[in-house]
């Protein structure tokens, strides 16, 4: 059997990815031919890809070749997959061909390229979201996934053509793109040229005609409204009408929190931060903040939830820091543990336990696991060569050696792993090694050490992974990293170090050594729980009843997904192992990396000195969370997101909804008489709420945040279209309509306050206090949109939630954190969460607007200098904006633009 493919031929992508299915089942020869080569003798024009079968027959359409490979692997056809293939041929391909032609041949960009395919991309995203499955036809990859991925890859490999709001599509695409067969296909067909590799192929295609009847909407949610059935609308209305009575009873609070048989028991950990470092924003979003969102969401779902973390305190890093500061290692740990705890407290991280690893329980549990591994023959002894710094008079831990990576040539590779290529490194393999402390060149010395026999545990690990990973929420990068380790074959891993500060090794002849920090650091989760409750084994030796979610950056994946599971499996003591391994990519700072020594970037202890509230930091970090690829913190973008998404979208809607109740209905929620449009809106909000649940259940935290903002936009649009501030002055029917719109809007605001709780807990509590939301509705997030503020409910004083970030403030912060923190004195930005306001404040603002208006009129009458008039007009416009916000009116648009 022979497969003919061609560089730059888009159809070659899916067939090469699918060819991996046939490996080991048939002999397959893959030949690369030129695009003009006539492989099939009876075709009038050259065509690739082509599969020549052993019978001498040919297959020459990409989907037919892919289907053949899948059938060889034992795949069974199903109707849904066939439907996707029909859709790909009739709907996706024409639109995609046009988009690629515009991009590559005509050099167009942006919406000109995205426009033809936006509807198709939205359709895929909605299908994935509604089914709540990782793949197009279910829980496992199918023929449809490979065919559509191959078709879409040339366009979507450029992130600018993968819209942010299509979170389900983004996750699906990243999952497939990270698979090795797909990566090999890309290398063969695109040859590192990206979409430009297709130019010779596309230039020979006819210019696409306009896609009549395929007008693309920039508002996918409106398309979704059109697809709602009458049954879906009726179900949404019925749930709305039940209101608070449909909420389940609140779970009684436990202390300590322990698993409960028959309930969903969720154990959440975030990677233990090194005690000697102050965490920067990337550390915070990668571990503790992401885990906190999921923990808060779990509690809103009434799941039995325990969230723990703590400082990782052993190792050379601590010894070195103590030496630098003239303290003992224990004093360093005590000092920095408090710093970490204070930072996380300011960021409002809701740990049930924030512990530490320098405890007797850590020693006891670590030594017990080691003894069990040793007696079962999973520990080896060997003499190893290590790097020793003669100047510092110590053996150097892996992370205290830097040099040139022997694999990729990266010049800042660590002694255990290269951050660029991801390969594991033995420190003595580094080229041009340097001691990170004194920068001298270390020498090689011999020392006897203990090793975890990973090759002996490899089969157990693979069996466990085969049971655990399919159907789980392991992120694509964590799956890829573990697969790459296993593909290369596991090697014995050293678990001891020549140090004083660490967990002692309980073995004769090794009394002068301690356990390597990455053998015992992951055991820290167990010991921290043991310090919280003497019933810790109910969590950590209970895999049948406990779901373990572990949050980390991708560099920690091997230790959580491989080293600790091997240790636990070898110990044979029924340990709870990770069910869902959630790893982020890296967060960069502006155009580079965070650096404490160079004063570049915002670190946890500095964020609170900016004057920007913790919830604003939480929102922005979660908005740019590096879920599928690296992302970067940007001051300019933070300003834009605060002023557009928070101030003008979310804050504007919630404030208007509350102010209408306060101003027009005396602080009492009015009667609501729902029209057919209102019922459709209920169903649409319900659908978006359910999408939010689906995303957070899959731990797609950033994407779920978009659902909140989408609902808020719907609310703003609903108010804008219905204009209750005008209707309240009209006929009885108009006043009734104003009441319905106001009542529905304030209930949407109440729902948003609960959905916001995992992301912005302080803002959430402020909204709930302003609306006087009943306590049960504050603590439970149902799957349906309920009327939680019925007619007659009295709300409290409503005030703005957010304030504008100004350009000069942000520019000052950018300079301060761009390398000059050490010298610059803190200059907080004038930003705070307003918590008091009311009718008196509205009256004060009205008086100020009147006074300022008189000033402007007098200056114009006097024909004063234009610059002076302009300055006073600017003050007047700013006061009018403040008044509009306080009154719940829509903000004025700039001159020349009209509100629809």
């Amino acid at each position: 059997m022979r497969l003919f493919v061609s560089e730059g031929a888009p159809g070659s992508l899916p067939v090469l990815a699918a060819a991996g299915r046939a490996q080991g089942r048939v002999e397959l020869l893959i030949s690369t031919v030129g695009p003009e080569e006539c492989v099939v003798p009876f075709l009038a024009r050259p065509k690739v890809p082509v599969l020549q079968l052993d019978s001498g027959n040919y297959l020459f359409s990409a989907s037919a070749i892919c289907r053949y490979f899948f059938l060889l692997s034992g795949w069974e056809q199903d109707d849904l997959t066939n439907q996707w293939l029909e859709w790909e041929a009739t709907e996706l391909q024409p639109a995609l061909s046009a988009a690629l032609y515009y991009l590559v041949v005509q050099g167009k960009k942006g919406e000109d390229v995205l426009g033809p395919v936006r509807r198709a991309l939205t359709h895929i995203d909605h299908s994935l979201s509604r089914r709540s499955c990782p793949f197009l036809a279910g829980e496992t990859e199918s023929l449809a996934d490979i065919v559509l991925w191959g078709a879409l890859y040339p366009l979507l490999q450029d992130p600018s053509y993968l819209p942010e709001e299509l979170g389900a599509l983004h996750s699906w695409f990243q999952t497939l793109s990270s698979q090795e067969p797909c990566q090999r296909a890309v290398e063969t067909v695109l040859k590192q040229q990206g979409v430009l590799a297709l130019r010779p192929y596309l230039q020979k295609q006819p210019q696409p005609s306009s896609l009549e009847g395929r007008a693309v909407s920039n508002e996918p949610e409106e398309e979704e409204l059109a697809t709602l059935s009458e049954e879906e609308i009726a179900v949404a209305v019925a749930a709305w009408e039940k209101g608070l009575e449909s909420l389940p009873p609140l779970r009684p609070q436990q202390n300590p929190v322990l698993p409960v048989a028959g309930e969903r028991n969720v154990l959440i950990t975030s990677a233990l931060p090194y005690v000697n470092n102050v965490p920067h924003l990337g550390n915070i979003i990668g571990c503790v903040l992401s885990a906190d969102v999921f923990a808060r969401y779990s509690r809103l779902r009434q799941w039995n939830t325990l969230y723990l973390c703590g400082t990782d305190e052993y190792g050379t890093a601590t010894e070195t820091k103590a030496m630098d500061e003239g303290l003992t290692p224990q004093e360093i740990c005590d000092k920095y543990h408090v710093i970490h705890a204070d930072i996380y407290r300011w960021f409002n991280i809701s740990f049930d336990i924030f512990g530490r690893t320098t405890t007797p329980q850590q020693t006891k549990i670590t030594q017990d696991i080691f003894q069990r591994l040793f007696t079962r023959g999973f520990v080896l002894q060997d003499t190893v060569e290590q790097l020793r710094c003669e100047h510092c008079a110590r053996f150097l831990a892996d992370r205290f050696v830097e040099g040139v990576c022997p694999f990729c040539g990266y010049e800042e590779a660590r002694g255990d792993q290269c951050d660029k290529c991801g390969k594991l490194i033995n420190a003595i393999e580094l080229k041009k090694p340097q001691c990170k402390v004194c920068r001298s060149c270390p020498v090689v010395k011999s020392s006897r050490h203990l090793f975890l026999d990973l090759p002996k545990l490899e089969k157990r690990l693979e069996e466990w992974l085969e049971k655990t990973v399919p159907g789980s929420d392991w992120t694509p990068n964590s799956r890829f990293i573990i697969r790459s380790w296993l593909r290369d074959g596991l090697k014995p891993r050293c678990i001891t170090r020549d140090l004083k500060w660490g967990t002692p090794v309980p073995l004769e002849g090794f009394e002068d050594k301690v356990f390597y920090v990455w053998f015992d650091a992951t055991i820290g989760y167990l010991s921290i729980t043991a310090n919280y409750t003497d019933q810790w084994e109910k969590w950590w030796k209970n895999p049948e009843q406990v779901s373990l979610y572990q949050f980390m950056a991708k560099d920690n994946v091997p230790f959580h997904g491989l080293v600790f599971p091997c240790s636990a499996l070898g110990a044979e003591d029924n340990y709870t192992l990770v069910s869902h391994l959630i790893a982020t990519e890296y967060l960069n700072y502006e155009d580079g990396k965070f650096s404490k020594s160079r004063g570049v970037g915002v670190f946890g202890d500095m964020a609170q000195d900016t004057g920007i509230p913790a919830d604003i930091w939480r929102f922005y970090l979660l908005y740019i969370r590096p879920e599928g690829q690296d992302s970067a913190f940007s001051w300019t973008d933070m300003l834009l997101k605060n002023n557009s998404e928070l101030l003008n979208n979310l804050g504007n809607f919630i404030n208007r909804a509350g102010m209408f109740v306060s101003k027009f209905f005396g602080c009492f929620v009015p009667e609501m008489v729902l029209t057919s449009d209102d019922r459709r809106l209920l169903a649409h909000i319900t659908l978006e709420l359910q999408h939010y649940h689906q995303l957070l259940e899959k731990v797609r935290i950033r994407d779920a945040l978009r659902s909140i903002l989408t609902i808020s936009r719907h609310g703003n649009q609903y108010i804008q279209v219905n204009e209750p501030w005008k209707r309240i002055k009209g006929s009885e029917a108009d006043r009734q309509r104003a009441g319905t719109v106001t009542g529905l809007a304030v209930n949407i605001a109440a729902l948003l306050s609960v959905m916001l709780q995992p992301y912005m807990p302080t803002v959430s509590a402020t909204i709930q206090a302003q609306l006087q939301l009943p306590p049960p509705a504050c603590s439970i997030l149902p799957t349906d949109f309920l009327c939680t503020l019925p007619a007659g409910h009295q709300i409290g004083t409503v005030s703005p939630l957010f304030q504008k970030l100004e350009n000069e403030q942000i520019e000052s912060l950018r300079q301060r954190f761009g390398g000059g923190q050490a010298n610059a004195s803190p200059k907080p930005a004038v930003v705070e969460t307003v918590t008091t306001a009311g009718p008196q404040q509205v009256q004060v603002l009205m008086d100020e607007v009147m006074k300022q208006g008189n000033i402007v009129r007098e200056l114009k009458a006097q024909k004063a200098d234009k610059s002076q008039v302009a300055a006073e007009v600017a003050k007047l416009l700013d006061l009018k904006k403040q008044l509009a916000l306080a009154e719940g009116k829509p903000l004025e648009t700039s001159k020349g633009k009209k509100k629809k």
Side-chain angles (χ1 to χ4, degrees):
M1 190 180 301
R2 190 174 183 184
L3 176 64
F4 296 89
V5 296
S6 178
E7 295 174 12
S12 298
L13 276 171
V15 301
L16 283 170
R21 292 268 181 165
Q23 285 183 352
R25 299 177 186 274
V26 293
E27 286 189 20
L28 179 65
L29 175 64
I30 300 177
S31 300
T32 301
V33 298
E36 298 300 323
E37 189 164 338
C38 194
V39 178
V40 185
F42 51 82
L43 289 182
R45 296 177 57 192
K47 183 168 179 58
V48 281
V50 171
L51 181 63
Q52 184 178 13
L53 303 175
D54 292 337
S55 62
N57 294 320
Y58 296 91
L59 299 177
F60 41 86
S61 81
S63 61
I65 297 170
C66 291
R67 182 190 298 272
Y68 188 84
F69 286 141
F70 268 74
L71 289 171
L72 282 177
S73 70
W75 171 76
E76 295 183 3
Q77 299 190 55
D78 61 272
D79 291 341
L80 182 55
T81 296
N82 289 331
Q83 178 178 292
W84 274 115
L85 295 177
E86 289 294 315
W87 179 84
E88 187 268 345
T90 57
E91 292 285 324
L92 178 61
Q93 277 298 341
L96 195 56
S97 297
L100 289 171
Y101 190 92
Y102 296 149
L103 175 64
V104 178
V105 179
Q106 297 185 346
K108 294 182 178 180
K109 295 184 183 297
E111 193 58 35
D112 287 338
V113 174
L114 189 55
V117 292
R118 188 186 287 275
R119 181 176 177 179
L121 299 182
T122 301
H123 172 69
I124 299 171
D125 181 79
H126 285 170
S127 297
L128 289 164
S129 299
R130 292 191 114 187
R131 289 175 55 81
S132 191
C133 292
F135 298 105
L136 295 172
E139 293 293 334
T140 57
E141 176 191 308
S142 74
L143 171 61
D145 296 291
I146 292 300
V147 171
L148 266 71
W149 170 85
L152 290 167
Y153 184 87
L155 182 66
L156 299 192
Q157 51 95 25
D158 182 344
S160 61
Y161 295 114
L162 184 50
E164 277 190 1
E165 66 270 16
L166 304 184
L169 173 63
H170 193 285
S171 179
W172 170 85
F173 182 72
Q174 290 291 337
T175 298
L176 290 165
S177 298
S178 66
Q179 294 181 1
E180 193 173 341
C182 295
Q183 292 179 341
R184 285 201 302 265
V186 169
E187 291 169 9
T188 301
V189 178
L190 302 186
K191 289 293 182 184
Q192 299 184 332
Q193 297 177 57
V195 73
L196 294 179
L198 307 186
R199 177 173 284 158
Y201 169 84
L202 292 168
Q203 285 174 332
K204 293 170 186 162
Q205 306 306 309
Q207 181 171 341
S209 57
S210 61
L211 299 172
E212 293 182 16
R214 298 174 189 269
V216 177
S217 168
N218 287 328
E219 300 292 336
E221 58 272 16
E222 291 185 6
E223 179 184 340
E224 191 68 27
L225 262 177
T227 65
L228 289 171
S229 68
E230 290 302 320
E231 182 183 0
E232 287 175 310
I233 294 171
V235 169
V237 172
W240 159 269
E241 291 174 345
K242 287 181 181 177
L244 288 170
E245 68 183 48
S246 63
L247 289 176
L250 282 172
R251 291 186 81 260
Q253 289 190 341
Q254 295 184 71
N255 189 20
V257 180
L258 294 172
V260 178
E263 293 192 16
R264 182 165 180 178
N265 300 298
V266 178
L267 177 59
I268 302 170
T269 73
S270 52
L272 307 182
Y274 283 126
V275 73
N276 60 296
N277 290 329
V278 176
H280 58 64
L281 297 181
N283 304 136
I284 290 167
I285 184 58
C287 302
V288 295
L289 181 52
S290 295
D292 183 62
V293 172
F294 189 69
R296 289 177 178 275
Y297 173 72
S298 297
R299 296 180 190 121
L300 283 174
R301 295 299 303 276
Q302 297 281 284
W303 299 338
N304 193 36
T305 304
L306 182 69
Y307 174 28
L308 65 96
C309 186
T311 42
D312 177 7
E313 302 190 350
Y314 283 134
T316 304
T318 305
E319 285 190 6
T320 304
K321 189 73 171 178
M323 183 173 61
D324 291 344
E325 296 196 16
L327 300 172
T328 66
Q330 187 62 61
E331 288 170 338
I332 279 289
C333 293
D334 294 342
K335 171 185 174 180
Y336 280 90
H337 176 80
V338 171
I339 291 172
H340 276 266
D342 287 345
I343 289 169
Y344 303 137
R345 191 177 301 113
W346 187 79
F347 274 96
N348 218 338
I349 307 298
S350 62
F351 301 123
D352 292 290
I353 328 157
F354 185 71
R356 51 200 307 188
T357 57
T358 50
T359 65
Q361 287 283 10
Q362 175 75 5
T363 301
K364 179 182 177 183
I365 297 171
T366 301
Q367 290 183 345
D368 176 66
I369 290 175
F370 167 75
Q371 293 282 16
R372 296 179 71 89
L373 287 166
F374 185 77
T375 57
R376 286 161 175 76
F378 295 122
V379 177
L380 306 174
Q381 300 184 27
D382 200 2
T383 299
V384 297
E385 292 184 324
Q386 288 180 260
L387 292 177
R388 178 180 171 84
C389 178
E390 297 295 349
H391 183 267
C392 296
R394 66 174 62 217
F395 283 100
L396 296 177
D398 296 338
R399 287 177 178 249
F400 272 74
V401 185
E402 276 187 353
V404 178
C405 175
F407 301 104
C408 71
Y410 180 57
E411 294 187 354
E412 296 180 10
R414 299 195 312 262
D416 60 348
Q417 191 173 15
C418 174
D419 283 335
K420 185 173 183 181
C421 69
K423 289 189 179 293
L424 287 182
I425 300 171
N426 187 329
I428 63 172
E429 296 174 342
L430 284 172
K431 300 175 183 177
K432 300 179 182 178
Q434 282 188 333
C435 170
K436 281 187 68 175
V437 178
C438 69
R439 291 296 169 189
S440 64
C441 182
V443 298
V444 177
K445 296 268 183 167
S446 295
S447 180
R448 192 156 184 79
H449 282 279
L450 299 172
F451 289 75
L452 182 60
D453 193 350
L454 292 177
K456 200 171 181 179
L457 290 158
E458 188 166 352
K459 185 178 180 183
R460 296 189 190 196
L461 178 73
E462 288 183 329
E463 290 173 351
W464 168 72
L465 287 168
E466 285 172 6
K467 285 194 304 182
T468 302
V469 175
S472 76
D473 296 317
W474 282 48
T475 50
N477 57 357
S478 61
R479 297 175 191 230
F480 178 75
I481 289 167
I482 296 302
R483 275 201 307 269
S484 66
W485 273 56
L486 290 170
R487 184 188 63 235
D488 296 339
L490 299 184
K491 298 174 180 61
R493 183 85 175 167
C494 188
I495 60 171
T496 52
R497 286 291 183 269
D498 291 290
L499 300 172
K500 295 185 175 68
W501 186 247
T503 302
V505 177
L507 190 65
E508 186 177 350
F510 292 86
E511 295 88 350
D512 59 340
K513 301 186 190 302
V514 298
F515 285 114
Y516 174 36
V517 67
W518 265 115
F519 173 71
D520 86 332
T522 46
I523 299 172
Y525 301 121
L526 285 64
S527 70
I528 289 168
T529 313
N531 281 300
Y532 166 71
T533 171
D534 58 6
Q535 301 177 71
W536 65 274
E537 291 182 349
K538 290 185 177 180
W539 283 109
W540 286 104
K541 294 185 180 182
N542 191 4
E544 298 81 13
Q545 295 185 352
V546 173
S547 292
L548 173 58
Y549 289 77
Q550 297 199 286
F551 289 78
M552 67 206 67
K554 64 182 178 182
D555 57 341
N556 283 333
V557 168
F559 306 103
H560 290 78
L562 193 149
V563 176
F564 178 73
C566 280
S567 301
L569 291 166
E572 297 177 352
D573 205 13
N574 197 38
Y575 280 107
T576 302
L577 297 178
V578 59
S579 313
H580 309 278
L581 201 159
I582 315 299
T584 60
E585 300 292 321
Y586 295 134
L587 179 73
N588 296 316
Y589 180 78
E590 296 282 352
D591 296 325
K593 294 183 177 181
F594 291 87
S595 172
K596 187 77 169 178
S597 61
R598 292 185 290 112
V600 174
V602 182
F603 287 72
D605 55 345
M606 302 170 182
Q608 53 195 300
D609 295 330
T610 62
I612 298 174
D615 268 17
I616 306 300
W617 284 105
R618 286 176 63 110
F619 168 82
Y620 182 63
L621 290 173
L622 292 161
Y623 194 97
I624 61 170
R625 183 175 184 260
E627 290 190 359
Q629 59 190 11
D630 291 356
S631 62
F633 174 90
S634 161
W635 283 108
T636 300
D637 189 51
M638 185 181 191
L639 176 146
L640 291 171
K641 295 301 184 290
N642 177 82
N643 294 350
S644 61
E645 294 291 8
L646 291 181
L647 183 62
N648 292 338
N649 175 17
L650 182 68
N652 189 36
F653 168 67
I654 292 173
N655 187 259
R656 291 166 80 187
M659 284 302 301
F660 291 150
V661 177
S662 177
K663 183 178 179 181
F664 301 146
F665 299 98
C667 295
F668 291 92
V669 175
E671 293 286 341
M672 290 164 272
V673 180
L674 301 182
T675 66
S676 59
D677 285 344
D678 297 332
R679 293 187 178 93
R680 289 182 67 81
L681 180 63
L682 289 181
H684 193 195
I685 299 295
T686 296
L687 191 66
E688 198 62 50
L689 171 62
Q690 290 169 354
H691 188 209
Y692 169 94
H693 280 300
Q694 290 166 0
L695 290 168
L696 276 181
E697 285 177 7
K698 294 291 183 182
V699 205
R700 284 165 48 196
I701 292 168
R702 185 190 64 189
D703 295 335
L705 179 56
R706 304 298 199 269
S707 290
I708 296 173
L709 300 174
T710 297
I711 289 176
S712 178
R713 273 190 283 273
H714 290 327
N716 271 318
Q717 186 179 26
Y718 177 65
I719 287 175
Q720 205 64 27
V721 167
N722 286 280
E723 299 181 322
W725 62 93
K726 290 183 180 178
R727 291 181 181 272
I728 195 68
K729 301 171 185 176
S731 64
E732 182 63 32
D734 280 339
R735 289 195 296 274
Q736 185 184 72
R737 182 66 188 147
T740 298
V741 172
T742 298
L744 185 48
V746 80
N747 270 280
I748 295 173
L751 172 67
L752 287 171
S753 77
V754 188
M755 294 175 72
L756 266 177
Q757 205 256 59
Y759 294 88
M760 306 179 78
T762 301
V763 170
S764 168
T766 301
I767 299 167
Q768 290 169 0
Q770 291 181 7
L771 300 182
Q772 296 188 13
L773 193 63
C778 298
S779 304
I780 301 174
L781 183 60
T783 54
D784 294 306
F785 178 27
L786 310 179
C787 178
T788 54
L789 301 179
H793 172 87
Q794 185 174 10
I795 68 169
T797 302
V798 176
S799 60
L801 298 168
F802 308 108
Q803 286 197 357
K804 186 178 181 182
L805 283 173
E806 302 292 347
N807 286 322
E808 54 269 24
Q809 297 170 353
I810 289 300
E811 190 54 40
S812 172
L813 290 168
R814 188 202 316 280
Q815 292 184 14
R816 176 179 160 196
F817 293 103
Q821 296 99 304
N823 301 321
S825 57
K827 185 181 178 183
V830 187
V831 182
E832 58 184 15
T833 302
V834 181
T835 55
T836 57
Q840 291 181 346
Q841 183 186 7
V842 172
Q843 188 59 52
V844 169
L845 285 169
M846 291 175 67
D847 293 342
E848 289 183 8
V849 168
M850 187 177 296
K851 290 177 186 176
Q852 189 63 25
N854 290 334
I855 292 172
V856 170
R857 281 189 289 274
E858 288 175 12
L859 287 172
K860 287 182 175 179
Q862 297 167 9
K863 296 185 178 179
D865 182 74
K866 287 184 178 179
S867 61
Q868 185 181 2
V869 175
E872 296 302 329
V873 168
K875 291 180 183 177
L876 176 61
L877 292 174
D878 187 60
L879 285 168
K880 284 184 174 181
K881 284 181 182 178
Q882 292 182 42
L883 178 59
L885 195 63
E887 289 185 322
K889 292 180 179 177
L891 294 176
E892 295 286 339
T893 53
S894 59
K895 197 171 182 180
K897 295 181 181 178
K898 294 182 179 179
K899 291 267 185 184
K900 290 184 179 178

